[in-house]
Amino acid sequence: QVQLVESGGGLVQAGGSLRLSCAASGSIVSINAMGWYRQAPGKQRELVAAITSGGITNYADSVKGRFTISRDNTKNTVYLRMSSLKPEDTAIYYCNANIQLVLVQLLTTRNYWGQGTQVTVSS
């Protein structure tokens, strides 16, 4: 009933920038928090940045000052602007959203994940 579709990943040189987008679609009533996670090879998935429906943001220490999360509630879309990229930012980036929807005529809240987009930063 709900899909998260990410775009914007790719290969970039160290010091470069990328912008990731994640659009939610389906039978959505409202979207609470949205966020970006990443998982590097051999490592656990970690939170990169999150944003509430009201625009309050939270960042991992490793990306503070370099990444900016934002959202467009009219488009059900969250963005991650990444600047001053480092090789250690290389990972698969996943979008996450806490979504309120109607299932079997009941209002419920569920967590959804995107399929992931690869970000590779070369040194």
Side-chain angles (χ1 to χ4, degrees):
Q1 294 89 352
V2 172
Q3 278 191 321
L4 299 183
V5 178
E6 299 142 343
S7 61
L11 173 65
V12 65
Q13 287 190 330
S17 299
L18 282 174
R19 191 180 83 152
L20 305 182
S21 300
C22 172
S25 62
S27 304
I28 297 169
V29 173
S30 64
I31 303 179
N32 300 317
M34 303 183 82
W36 290 94
Y37 290 71
R38 67 186 181 188
Q39 187 166 19
K43 294 188 176 182
Q44 287 190 333
R45 190 173 298 189
E46 63 175 1
L47 174 68
V48 176
I51 184 168
T52 68
S53 57
I56 297 172
T57 58
N58 181 44
Y59 296 93
D61 288 342
S62 59
V63 307
K64 281 181 181 176
R66 300 189 297 122
F67 291 12
T68 302
I69 189 170
S70 61
R71 63 190 283 174
D72 184 338
N73 292 331
T74 65
K75 298 180 180 179
N76 290 337
T77 300
V78 63
Y79 306 96
L80 185 68
R81 175 68 177 176
M82 304 183 292
S83 302
S84 302
L85 283 160
K86 305 175 181 179
E88 51 264 43
D89 294 317
T90 295
I92 299 174
Y93 284 69
Y94 296 92
C95 173
N96 176 271
N98 186 259
I99 294 175
Q100 194 174 45
L101 69 160
V102 175
L103 281 179
V104 197
Q105 299 181 325
L106 292 175
L107 191 62
T108 188
T109 300
R110 287 194 176 181
N111 225 27
Y112 289 89
W113 290 92
Q115 79 283 1
T117 184
Q118 178 70 48
V119 171
T120 303
V121 184
S122 63
S123 56

